Amino acid sequence: MAKDQLQVLNALDAAKTQWYHFTAVVVAGMGFFTDAYDLFSISLVTKLLGRIYYTKVSSAKPGTLPPNVSAAVNGVAFCGTLAGQLFFGWLGDKMGRKRVYGMTLMIMVICSIASGLSFGHSPKGVMATLCFFRFWLGFGIGGDYPLSATIMSEYANKKTRGAFIAAVFAMQGFGNLTGGIFSLILASAFKAKFPAPSYAEDAAASLVPQADYVWRIILMFGAIPALLTYYWRMKMPETARYTSLIAKNAKQAADDMAKVLQVDLAVEQEKVNRLTSRPSNEFGLFSKEFVKRHGLHLLGTTTTWFLLDIAFYSQNLFQKDIFSAIGWIPPAKKMSALGELFKVARAQTLIALCGTVPGYWFTVALIDVMGRFKIQLMGFAMMAIFMFGLAIPYTHWTHPDNRIGFIIMYGLTFFFANFGPNATTFVVPAEIFPARLRSTCHGISAASGKAGAIVGAFGFLYLAQNQNPAKTDAGYPAGIGVRNSLMILGAICVLGFICTLMVPEPNGKSLEEMSGENEEEEEEKVYNNRTVPV
């Protein structure tokens, strides 16, 4: 049991759920809203970009982005996010959560708008400009991962901390839905105003010049929700844990939290000085003491997030097959450019509504009841079962009569990703490390996850290609096929299950209990934070 806890931190841990908790969820979650909106909309936008900049009217099919250009447009934001997670995670521990928080939001707003204003005399010029701004958009989004998680964990009470951190992450679901709904509205409005025949009927007329405005408006719209929360981010006080345990300013911490909690709190400067001068509060990230206390935990959070994101981001591989199989999306040549945008947006919105969003909120509802450890184990186990269930009888699922079963299995895989490790890998790193290293360690864990996303989204894009070179997508070499790719993804989920055993259970404990920051000197010598709950 952690002892000598500061009164201001005790007050936060014991506080009843109040209005400021919900305000913090919305303000902190808006970065994830923008993140999901951007990732969702770029998959729609790339289809339109292919039509606008790479269509040859003499061709039998409308244009698509070449594989290298598609990989760059989709992947450059991942690279920016990875860099942002590491940089802003480190900066959040050095400068304070609040001071860095406004920077990340303004980068996201500016780069969302700039992405929509991408210019160039040639298709290559437009794509290069778009990639440049998308990298920096990703950089801002990356900073939001460690900062939002850390701020929410340091503001929340012990009883419902997991639910509040998970709710910040669940704002991604609303970002997905907003991206889909806004694209549907915009595509419908432009289709009504500028009707066009399908590509097969008239290749040149199927792409109206005004379609160039549509993708730009979709990308720029993502800046609006983020901009609306900027004022509230700047009004949020610095977290009491940063102010007292890192900045060592007990008076400021007490004053800030007295306003938030609306109670009188004692100023305990002597206790702050005593706590922060202990050996348990002085070791650095690259010290033997850190490795002894938290090395296994950091290995657990990085490996599980890395493995989860390989499986999670590979889902895009199967969407086009599923949509085509159930007739949601006809062949591209049977649609106009805006007609294709409408139909793809409709299909992806339904997937988000039925599979993605419910999983997030199941986690929010149950994370403080079941605990992070059980949810993560269950999620990885169910994902593995459904991946193998799709892979082993793969030829059975490709039969037209069995396509609905395939879609249900596919949907359940990603329901259990969101009601499972996709949420818990975000929550746990914000709870188990010392305050002075919390944001940095969360950033390292998140960056590991984003490296997995790059492997999942692009490595498997090539791997999943048909083994017959004649049947691969245009521009891609032969791969190992979808069935073998699914087998590998199932094995990755099993590995994630095993690596979860290195991750501790923070449910119901204060942040200081988990990190050992308030341990007495005698206790420090026998410090041991058991990984698996007994």
Side-chain angles (χ1 to χ4, degrees):
M1 179 75 183
K3 297 171 184 173
D4 231 9
Q5 179 77 306
L6 293 170
Q7 187 192 347
V8 65
L9 304 188
N10 263 332
L12 280 168
D13 283 339
K16 289 180 180 175
T17 300
Q18 297 174 40
W19 181 245
Y20 83 87
H21 286 118
F22 296 103
T23 308
V25 166
V26 175
V27 173
M30 211 39 73
F32 291 95
F33 179 99
T34 305
D35 178 18
Y37 177 92
D38 173 67
L39 284 176
F40 187 96
S41 57
I42 198 65
S43 62
L44 305 176
V45 164
T46 47
K47 287 188 177 293
L48 201 51
L49 290 173
R51 291 243 191 182
I52 293 168
Y53 294 106
Y54 291 90
T55 292
K56 290 176 183 171
V57 180
S58 58
S59 174
K61 292 180 181 178
T64 57
L65 293 183
N68 60 334
V69 176
S70 177
V73 170
N74 285 288
V76 73
F78 284 147
C79 298
T81 304
L82 192 154
Q85 286 162 337
L86 292 171
F87 177 72
F88 286 113
W90 169 78
L91 207 60
D93 284 333
K94 295 297 174 191
M95 289 177 59
R97 290 58 159 132
K98 183 193 171 181
R99 285 178 69 187
V100 182
Y101 213 27
M103 290 183 216
T104 62
L105 200 67
M106 284 317 296
I107 291 170
M108 286 154 62
V109 169
I110 292 164
C111 293
S112 287
I113 295 167
S115 294
L117 299 174
S118 298
F119 53 86
H121 293 296
S122 65
K124 192 178 278 187
V126 176
M127 295 304 123
T129 314
L130 179 61
C131 286
F132 174 80
F133 289 122
R134 280 185 56 72
F135 176 86
W136 291 108
L137 172 64
F139 192 68
I141 287 170
D144 240 52
Y145 274 73
L147 292 168
S148 291
T150 301
I151 285 171
M152 199 65 240
S153 74
E154 293 183 347
Y155 262 110
N157 58 40
K158 272 198 296 191
K159 193 176 176 185
T160 57
R161 185 178 63 230
F164 281 120
I165 305 171
V168 168
F169 195 62
M171 292 292 282
Q172 286 190 333
F174 293 123
N176 279 337
L177 282 179
T178 305
I181 292 165
F182 182 70
S183 299
L184 284 172
I185 293 167
L186 203 61
S188 300
F190 272 75
K191 267 174 65 185
K193 183 72 175 169
F194 309 105
S198 70
Y199 186 86
E201 292 170 326
D202 187 336
S206 72
L207 176 67
V208 295
Q210 290 81 4
D212 195 51
Y213 295 125
V214 175
W215 71 268
R216 297 176 185 277
I217 294 168
I218 289 172
L219 291 185
M220 288 194 280
F221 182 78
I224 294 171
L227 192 60
L228 291 175
T229 56
Y230 181 77
Y231 169 75
W232 297 105
R233 278 202 180 186
M234 293 299 92
K235 276 196 74 178
M236 282 177 84
E238 181 57 86
T239 71
R241 285 178 164 92
Y242 179 86
T243 310
S244 58
L245 298 176
I246 303 173
K248 303 177 185 178
N249 188 337
K251 185 178 187 308
Q252 188 66 54
D255 290 349
D256 287 344
M257 292 308 108
K259 289 175 192 169
V260 169
L261 297 169
Q262 297 179 329
V263 293
D264 291 326
L265 295 167
V267 176
E268 302 173 293
Q269 190 62 54
E270 280 184 25
K271 193 185 276 190
V272 165
N273 294 341
R274 190 169 71 250
L275 281 171
T276 53
S277 63
R278 286 179 180 167
S280 62
N281 289 326
E282 290 181 341
F283 60 84
L285 181 64
F286 299 106
S287 65
K288 285 182 182 177
E289 189 66 20
F290 179 85
V291 173
K292 188 174 100 180
R293 287 169 174 260
H294 301 290
L296 194 66
H297 300 160
L298 187 58
L299 182 64
T301 57
T302 51
T303 51
T304 51
W305 207 336
F306 175 77
L307 294 165
L308 174 273
D309 273 9
I310 292 176
F312 188 77
Y313 282 90
S314 66
Q315 70 173 304
N316 300 325
L317 304 177
F318 315 113
Q319 281 192 356
K320 65 179 188 299
D321 302 327
I322 288 165
F323 295 159
S324 303
I326 57 176
W328 282 356
I329 301 176
K333 64 183 179 182
K334 294 186 179 179
M335 298 179 282
S336 67
L338 292 173
E340 183 178 35
L341 176 70
F342 178 86
K343 284 193 166 66
V344 176
R346 182 183 63 184
Q348 293 197 3
T349 304
L350 284 168
I351 288 279
L353 196 59
C354 299
T356 308
V357 175
Y360 284 125
W361 293 99
F362 264 79
T363 304
V364 172
L366 296 173
I367 192 167
D368 290 310
V369 179
M370 291 174 63
R372 293 77 164 139
F373 186 80
K374 286 179 184 172
I375 288 178
Q376 188 160 311
L377 280 180
M378 176 198 69
F380 271 125
M382 296 305 286
M383 285 175 74
I385 289 166
F386 287 117
M387 291 279 193
F388 287 132
L390 289 170
I392 294 165
Y394 185 68
T395 48
H396 167 81
W397 296 119
T398 54
H399 194 275
D401 295 342
N402 302 322
R403 292 282 169 86
I404 298 300
F406 183 90
I407 292 154
I408 292 168
M409 295 277 281
Y410 169 87
L412 285 169
T413 305
F414 294 98
F415 170 80
F416 281 106
N418 291 321
F419 178 36
N422 194 37
T424 53
T425 51
F426 175 79
V427 173
V428 173
E431 301 181 294
I432 61 176
F433 298 108
R436 67 191 180 284
L437 300 170
R438 187 169 290 134
S439 178
T440 303
C441 290
H442 195 286
I444 292 168
S445 303
S448 174
K450 206 49 70 179
I454 293 167
V455 173
F458 304 108
F460 277 86
L461 189 60
Y462 285 86
L463 272 180
Q465 294 297 321
N466 201 292
Q467 290 167 299
N468 181 350
K471 294 183 179 179
T472 62
D473 293 343
Y476 289 92
I480 62 171
V482 172
R483 182 180 183 275
N484 292 332
S485 296
L486 281 166
M487 293 290 280
I488 292 172
L489 291 170
I492 284 168
C493 292
V494 172
L495 205 55
F497 182 95
I498 294 165
C499 290
T500 298
L501 300 174
M502 293 187 280
V503 179
E505 174 59 84
N507 196 19
K509 296 179 182 177
S510 76
L511 298 178
E512 287 68 40
E513 280 179 83
M514 286 308 302
S515 63
E517 285 168 284
N518 286 358
E519 299 292 337
E520 297 288 3
E521 304 263 335
E522 301 79 41
E523 291 181 354
E524 284 169 22
K525 294 170 187 172
V526 292
Y527 175 83
N528 177 31
N529 208 334
R530 239 190 333 266
T531 298
V532 184
V534 177

